[in-house]
Amino acid sequence: DITQDEVSSVQNATIWVITVIATASVISGLNAGIRILSTIAFMLGMVLLFLVFVMDDTKYLLNLQVQEVGYYLQHSIFQLNFWTDAFGQIREGGGRAVDGAAAAAWWMDAWMIFYQAWWVSWSAFVGLFVARISRGRTVSEVIIYSLVAPVAYCIIWFSIWGGVGLRQARQGRELEALGGTLFNDTEHFLVPGSTNCYDVPQETLSQDGTVVFENHLLGVTPVCQFDSSQSNTAAFNVLYSFSFPDSFDTGFGPTLSVLFIISLAIYFATSSDSGSLIVDHLASNGRKNHHWIQRLFWAV
């Protein structure tokens, strides 16, 4: 275990490294550093997405993507835009739910105000950046590449990553229940030293001649249930589950985790350099030609 001071030192070093990368990127300009970093980040993300997609249950993930398109159209496009949580906002004495399961009466108003303020504050910033990088494009190209394509990519991305996480969490619950049924011990399959990760049997389990567990994804182990107190490890739990061909310690997990961290750092850098570019653009009253020191100032 590392101390809190060591954690803070690592975090500070990470912030400085990302800042240096973002600063170098924004100084080099839109068509050099920013473009190159964005391309690298996207390609690394696609590599990770493809590997997770083919190494887990591909058929299930394809089914989930189709289902999520319908869910998005039904809930995000239509239902969410008209949702007011009318029953949840009823106060005591006015017909509020008696089972205690209703949402807090204040939550909907507070959430809507925050959510709207968040997007209003970002709309001008993002709009300027999209306009800046879309110079020379047609209106239809801007709509396709800044609206349609990102929505489609987000559905694919969250369906695969979220779908794998959900499937493995459900399998973890299944193994917990199976341990109690077969061995009278819900922790029978629990990874030593863990509280929420379970070793997946690599062979078929039977009870009284009846198959009670059949593994269709050999080598994908361990799987972890969700733990809100360790939410920052959820993505790494998924990556380390791809332990084939050898074992949990020598599988693909460490390599995938390194790619994941590098990709995440570059994505942070691209967010920072695009923000610095727009702030610099605003401070220059829209002028494109100005001293690089000004870009350095806003990046740092």
Side-chain angles (χ1 to χ4, degrees), residues 171 174-175 178 182-183 189 200-218:
Q171 191 175 32
E174 182 182 12
L175 290 171
L178 192 63
L182 294 183
F183 305 100
F189 297 105
V200 182
Q202 300 300 293
E203 67 284 342
T204 300
L205 301 180
S206 302
Q207 185 180 39
D208 300 328
T210 302
V211 175
V212 294
F213 181 87
E214 185 175 2
N215 191 349
H216 298 283
L217 290 171
L218 296 176

Side-chain angles (χ1 to χ4, degrees), residues 74-84 108 111 115:
Q74 177 183 351
H75 293 276
S76 297
I77 299 298
F78 295 105
Q79 182 175 340
L80 185 61
N81 291 314
F82 294 93
W83 184 258
T84 61
M108 187 64 183
W111 177 79
Y115 196 69

Side-chain angles (χ1 to χ4, degrees), residues 29 43 45 57 60 90 110 126 131 138 183 233 256 264:
M43 295 305 297
D57 191 340
Y60 152 75
I90 296 177
V126 175
T138 64
F183 305 100
T233 64
L256 293 175
L264 195 62

Side-chain angles (χ1 to χ4, degrees), residues 11-294:
Q11 291 174 339
N12 290 333
T14 303
I15 292 172
W16 276 109
V17 169
I18 293 175
T19 301
V20 169
I21 295 173
T23 302
S25 173
V26 75
I27 289 176
S28 62
L30 180 63
N31 293 320
I34 295 178
R35 184 175 183 177
I36 293 172
L37 271 186
S38 299
T39 302
I40 293 173
F42 180 76
M43 295 305 297
L44 284 176
M46 290 300 296
V47 168
L48 285 169
L49 190 69
F50 174 76
L51 291 176
V52 172
F53 175 68
V54 298
M55 289 194 292
D56 204 85
D57 191 340
T58 304
K59 180 181 178 181
Y60 152 75
L61 293 173
L62 288 172
N63 280 336
L64 184 61
Q65 288 178 49
V66 175
Q67 179 174 306
E68 287 307 304
V69 170
Y71 188 89
Y72 175 78
L73 294 175
Q74 177 183 351
H75 293 276
S76 297
I77 299 298
F78 295 105
Q79 182 175 340
L80 185 61
N81 291 314
F82 294 93
W83 184 258
T84 61
D85 198 19
F87 295 106
Q89 293 192 70
I90 296 177
R91 306 282 179 174
E92 287 79 2
R96 186 168 176 79
V98 297
D99 59 2
W106 54 265
W107 185 86
M108 187 64 183
D109 290 336
W111 177 79
M112 285 298 294
I113 292 173
F114 168 78
Y115 196 69
Q116 290 172 353
W118 174 271
W119 280 108
V120 167
S121 65
W122 272 86
S123 59
F125 173 86
V126 175
L128 282 172
F129 181 73
V130 171
R132 178 69 178 83
I133 64 176
S134 300
R135 187 184 299 273
R137 304 280 194 268
T138 64
V139 174
S140 60
E141 287 177 332
V142 173
I143 293 174
I144 292 173
Y145 295 120
S146 66
L147 180 62
V148 178
V151 169
Y153 185 78
C154 284
I155 291 175
I156 295 172
W157 179 272
F158 287 109
S159 293
I160 292 177
W161 282 93
V164 172
L166 286 169
R167 187 199 66 77
Q168 293 188 1
R170 290 166 63 93
Q171 191 175 32
R173 297 290 296 273
E174 182 182 12
L175 290 171
E176 182 182 16
L178 192 63
T181 301
L182 294 183
F183 305 100
N184 199 29
D185 179 12
T186 57
E187 298 183 356
H188 178 80
F189 297 105
L190 197 66
V191 174
S194 175
T195 59
N196 64 317
C197 295
Y198 295 80
D199 284 317
V200 182
Q202 300 300 293
E203 67 284 342
T204 300
L205 301 180
S206 302
Q207 185 180 39
D208 300 328
T210 302
V211 175
V212 294
F213 181 87
E214 185 175 2
N215 191 349
H216 298 283
L217 290 171
L218 296 176
V220 181
T221 182
V223 295
C224 301
Q225 298 180 12
F226 292 128
D227 185 352
S228 58
S229 65
Q230 301 178 23
S231 59
N232 57 339
T233 64
F236 296 99
N237 289 338
V238 168
L239 294 174
Y240 269 88
S241 69
F242 303 115
S243 55
F244 48 86
D246 297 318
S247 67
F248 176 65
D249 293 323
T250 58
F252 296 135
T255 302
L256 293 175
S257 295
V258 170
L259 287 177
F260 182 80
I261 293 172
I262 293 174
S263 177
L264 195 62
I266 296 176
Y267 267 113
F268 273 119
T270 56
S271 298
S272 176
D273 62 21
S274 60
S276 301
L277 178 71
I278 292 304
V279 173
D280 178 62
H281 185 71
L282 293 172
S284 304
N285 199 27
R287 291 193 301 272
K288 294 178 61 176
N289 299 318
H290 42 76
H291 205 281
W292 64 269
I293 292 181
Q294 181 172 302

